[in-house]
């Protein structure tokens, strides 16, 4: 899908660049998809050597770096990356979750540390935080406002209004609605929504998506013409109400 550009960009308005380094193809694809959904430019690398070469060519603003790579460990890759780009933001992504591992990653110069399994929304939020603190990006306030028909979402203020009435949503409901509002009239499958709202290895529990869609309908569509529609065998779509 072709997502709406995210509010977070480079100072010159061009897309944020992120390099994803992981030897698990499926995981790299899911993470890359979530970052592209933010409007960012993404490249992937399956090995330490490929990561260093890609970084020199791509000049990323941030790197999502697995510590356990097939040819070298991520800590040594970090040193090579920083030798050429001292200010690049590095977020370690790894199955190693002991306190000692976290300390080793941060001591080596990593900016943040996320353990597998993880929620994609958290990963994106942490990257946004790193980029903001590094002063490498800017936000365009206008892009924080999503509007579909009489439904409006302020992503920065975490506020939702339909027909002039505020709608109180839980954090998960908010994330799910944001996915739908960023892709109006586009059908999103249950698998896509699981990847974007929950975690990459959630186990394919499609009933969770169905449950939260029902929650959203009660809050967004209750007493009004429905905006959230089920497309049998395909997924869900958000559409403005026809005048």
């Amino acid at each position: 899908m072709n997502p709406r550009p995210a509010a977070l960009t480079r100072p010159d308005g061009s897309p944020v660049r992120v390099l994803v380094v992981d030897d698990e193809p499926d995981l790299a694809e899911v993470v890359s998809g979530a970052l592209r959904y933010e409007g960012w430019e993404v490249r992937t690398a399956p090995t330490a050597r490929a990561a260093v070469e890609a970084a020199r060519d791509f000049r990323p603003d941030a790197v999502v770096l697995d510590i356990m790579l097939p040819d070298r460990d991520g800590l040594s890759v970090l040193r090579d990356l920083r030798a050429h780009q001292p200010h690049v933001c590095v977020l370690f992504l790894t199955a190693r979750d002991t306190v000692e591992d976290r300390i080793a990653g941060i001591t080596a110069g990593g900016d943040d540390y996320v353990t597998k399994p993880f929620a994609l929304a958290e990963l994106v939020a942490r990257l946004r935080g790193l980029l903001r603190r590094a002063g490498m990006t800017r936000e365009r306030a206008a892009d924080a406002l999503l509007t579909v028909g009489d439904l409006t979402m302020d992503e920065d203020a975490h506020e939702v209004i339909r027909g002039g009435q505020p709608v109180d949503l839980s954090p998960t409901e908010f994330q799910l609605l944001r996915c739908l509002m960023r892709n109006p009239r586009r059908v999103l499958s249950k698998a896509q929504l699981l990847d974007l709202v929950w975690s990459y290895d959630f186990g394919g529990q499609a009933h969770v998506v169905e449950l939260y869609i029902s929650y959203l309908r009660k809050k967004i569509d209750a007493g009004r013409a429905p905006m959230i529609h089920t497309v049998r065998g395909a997924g869900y779509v958000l559409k403005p109400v026809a005048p």
Side-chain angles (χ1 to χ4, degrees), residues 66-106:
D66 189 2
I67 289 183
M68 296 182 288
L69 295 169
D71 48 348
R72 286 164 51 198
D73 69 83
L75 301 180
S76 66
V77 175
L78 171 61
R79 290 192 288 271
D80 285 349
L81 294 175
R82 286 274 168 75
H84 295 91
Q85 284 184 264
H87 303 296
V88 65
C89 297
V90 176
L91 183 149
F92 281 122
L93 182 61
T94 178
R96 295 180 179 178
D97 58 0
T98 67
V99 173
E100 291 77 12
D101 288 325
R102 290 174 181 268
I103 292 174
I106 300 302

Side-chain angles (χ1 to χ4, degrees), residues 38-70:
E38 291 294 311
W40 299 349
E41 188 175 349
V42 184
R43 288 193 189 179
T44 62
T47 64
R49 180 177 179 179
V52 174
E53 292 177 352
R56 290 177 181 174
D57 173 58
F58 187 46
R59 305 294 294 177
D61 304 297
V63 179
V64 177
L65 179 59
D66 189 2
I67 289 183
M68 296 182 288
L69 295 169

Side-chain angles (χ1 to χ4, degrees), residues 87-153:
H87 303 296
V88 65
C89 297
V90 176
L91 183 149
F92 281 122
L93 182 61
T94 178
R96 295 180 179 178
D97 58 0
T98 67
V99 173
E100 291 77 12
D101 288 325
R102 290 174 181 268
I103 292 174
I106 300 302
T107 302
D111 298 293
D112 205 345
Y113 195 107
V114 174
T115 56
K116 304 174 184 177
F118 59 93
L120 285 169
E122 178 188 2
L123 176 69
V124 173
R126 291 201 183 197
L127 280 174
R128 292 172 69 93
L130 290 178
L131 290 163
R132 284 196 196 99
R133 290 194 293 273
M136 301 168 64
T137 57
R138 68 179 178 90
E139 287 190 278
R140 294 172 295 182
D143 284 347
L145 199 64
L146 298 175
T147 301
V148 179
D150 65 349
L151 181 65
T152 302
M153 171 182 284

Side-chain angles (χ1 to χ4, degrees), residues 149-187:
D150 65 349
L151 181 65
T152 302
M153 171 182 284
D154 187 325
E155 295 184 271
D156 289 342
H158 253 243
E159 295 177 346
V160 175
I161 296 175
R162 181 167 185 199
Q165 299 297 315
V167 181
D168 185 26
L169 299 179
S170 71
T172 301
E173 291 166 351
F174 187 91
Q175 293 287 351
L176 179 57
L177 181 61
R178 179 166 64 176
C179 289
L180 295 170
M181 291 189 71
R182 286 188 171 186
N183 296 272
R185 302 181 186 276
R186 180 177 292 119
V187 177

Side-chain angles (χ1 to χ4, degrees), residues 172 176 189-191 193-194 198 202-215 236:
T172 301
L176 179 57
S189 69
K190 293 176 184 177
L193 292 171
L194 277 171
W198 288 271
F202 203 75
Q205 300 180 37
H207 69 278
V208 173
V209 179
E210 297 168 2
L211 180 63
Y212 274 87
I213 286 289
S214 72
Y215 292 161
Y236 303 97

